[in-house]
Amino acid sequence: MKRATPTRDRQPWTIDDAPDQSGRTVVVTGSNTGIGYETASALAGRGAHVVLAVRDDERGRAAATRMRARHPRAAVSVQRLDLSSLASIRAAAEQIAADHPQVSVLVNNAGVAHSPRAFTEDGLERIFGTNHLGHFALTGLLLPSLLDTPGSRVVTVSALAHRQVEDIDFDDLRRVDDYDPWTVYGESKLANLLFTRELTGRLSGTNTIAVAAHPGLARSDLSRNASRRERALFRVLAPILQTTAMGALPTCRAATDPTLGGGEFLGPRRRGIRGAPVVEEPGVAARDDRTARRLWSISEALTDVVYPV
């Protein structure tokens, strides 16, 4: 990932600063609710055709209806996608590519957190399997459509939690010996950044770039699986949480800002917690090229998805 000094924009970036997105197709995972919904809605409002890639068709259609009510001219479609199933990912990628030969932006937003120990359909630990491996597979399968689209980009949503871990436990990715949902979530968010770092290098010389973002401390629905104690903590933090719409702005900027060259990491300007999006520096562990390459190799083996770059 590109080494960057945090930016100090003269004027805070808002969605009105995003260029017109007419004629561009944007795929957003986990977009029926929370930050994914606000991201998709904002980009639809700027003229993009937004594909809501969601696990529940009915909730996806309800989200599309809400978006059209907010933006009457919005072009929105729904694609079923279960990131905990490699079969579902392959089917969704095939359908998206058939429906949209050119994909301008893929936003890897969907996430699982605070989950008790569980496994994906393919026997992978659920949080890491969904947050990183599912998006790794989806991106690889959609990459031909992205590479055929001038000015395309892959945006992957990480989190402040990537700073709470120092490495990824590659020797126990299924968490047979130990399981702590906070640690596993942090590792999955670190993986999102290492993935972006390695992908940035591989995309050098192409029409496509990779960018990462995080929402800071924002209201979302990630706490739906939290324990009673964790929900109590979220209630204490509530006064400092920014709105879901504000939390979506770093992703929206990552998806649209023409000044980005690839490899940047965007987050809220006030200590990475609140405010308008700026470019910031990720944690030290997210800048390790050796770990990024190791993660890539293991991800290809676990998903059976090999990138064309």
Side-chain angles (χ1 to χ4, degrees), residues 114 181-182 223 225-235:
H114 316 294
W182 284 94
S223 61
N225 296 318
S227 66
R228 183 175 300 177
R229 170 183 277 185
E230 290 165 342
R231 287 196 295 270
L233 174 61
F234 294 140
R235 286 195 292 271

Side-chain angles (χ1 to χ4, degrees), residues 40-80:
S41 181
L43 296 177
R46 298 302 292 168
H49 179 118
V50 178
V51 179
L52 308 183
V54 297
R55 187 170 56 180
D56 188 308
D57 290 351
E58 184 176 348
R59 292 181 180 180
R61 289 191 293 271
T65 297
R66 296 197 305 274
M67 285 182 198
R68 295 187 188 104
R70 182 186 290 187
H71 307 291
R73 297 183 179 179
V76 186
S77 57
V78 178
Q79 171 63 54
R80 186 181 184 280

Side-chain angles (χ1 to χ4, degrees), residues 1 108-110 128 130-133 135-136 156-159 162 168 185-198 211-213 286 295:
M1 189 175 300
N108 293 321
N109 164 82
F128 194 84
T130 300
N131 296 359
H132 167 63
L133 293 171
H135 282 126
F136 179 91
T156 302
V157 181
S158 182
H162 86 274
I168 295 172
Y185 178 71
E187 290 186 14
S188 75
K189 296 290 101 180
L190 172 59
N192 291 153
L193 292 173
L194 291 168
F195 164 67
T196 300
R197 186 178 185 89
E198 178 68 13
V211 186
L295 174 67

Side-chain angles (χ1 to χ4, degrees), residues 43-298:
L43 296 177
R46 298 302 292 168
H49 179 118
V50 178
V51 179
L52 308 183
V54 297
R55 187 170 56 180
D56 188 308
D57 290 351
E58 184 176 348
R59 292 181 180 180
R61 289 191 293 271
T65 297
R66 296 197 305 274
M67 285 182 198
R68 295 187 188 104
R70 182 186 290 187
H71 307 291
R73 297 183 179 179
V76 186
S77 57
V78 178
Q79 171 63 54
R80 186 181 184 280
L81 168 68
D82 183 352
L83 286 164
S84 68
S85 165
L86 290 172
S88 175
I89 293 168
R90 288 185 179 279
E94 182 177 343
Q95 188 63 56
I96 291 170
D99 293 342
H100 309 282
Q102 290 195 322
V103 175
S104 300
V105 184
L106 169 61
V107 179
N108 293 321
N109 164 82
V112 178
H114 316 294
S115 173
R117 187 198 301 268
F119 298 95
T120 69
E121 180 180 289
D122 305 284
L124 306 167
E125 188 280 318
R126 182 171 178 247
I127 293 178
F128 194 84
T130 300
N131 296 359
H132 167 63
L133 293 171
H135 282 126
F136 179 91
L138 179 67
T139 303
L141 294 168
L142 286 179
L143 197 56
S145 297
L146 287 154
L147 291 171
D148 284 343
T149 308
S152 62
R153 58 186 66 186
V154 177
V155 178
T156 302
V157 181
S158 182
L160 286 170
H162 86 274
R163 299 184 186 275
Q164 75 185 25
V165 295
E166 297 180 355
D167 202 354
I168 295 172
D169 187 355
F170 290 110
D171 296 326
D172 188 22
L173 287 177
R174 294 188 77 250
R175 301 295 167 172
V176 174
D177 297 327
D178 184 37
Y179 182 80
D180 174 67
W182 284 94
T183 299
V184 177
Y185 178 71
E187 290 186 14
S188 75
K189 296 290 101 180
L190 172 59
N192 291 153
L193 292 173
L194 291 168
F195 164 67
T196 300
R197 186 178 185 89
E198 178 68 13
L199 182 59
T200 294
R202 289 170 176 262
L203 291 174
S204 178
T206 73
N207 291 319
T208 306
I209 63 172
V211 186
H214 77 95
L217 292 182
R219 298 185 183 95
S220 75
D221 65 343
L222 278 180
S223 61
R224 61 187 179 275
N225 296 318
S227 66
R228 183 175 300 177
R229 170 183 277 185
E230 290 165 342
R231 287 196 295 270
L233 174 61
F234 294 140
R235 286 195 292 271
V236 172
L237 292 174
I240 66 170
L241 298 180
Q242 59 180 357
T243 66
T244 309
M246 282 297 296
L249 283 185
T251 307
C252 291
R253 184 171 186 177
T256 63
D257 188 341
T259 69
L260 300 178
E264 293 90 349
F265 180 43
L266 284 83
R269 66 190 302 166
R270 298 177 187 172
R271 299 184 178 182
I273 295 175
R274 295 173 56 87
V278 296
V279 176
E280 64 176 70
E281 191 87 283
V284 174
R287 307 196 298 270
D288 188 311
D289 288 325
R290 180 179 298 180
T291 304
R293 289 192 294 270
R294 184 181 184 189
L295 174 67
W296 190 280
S297 178
I298 290 173

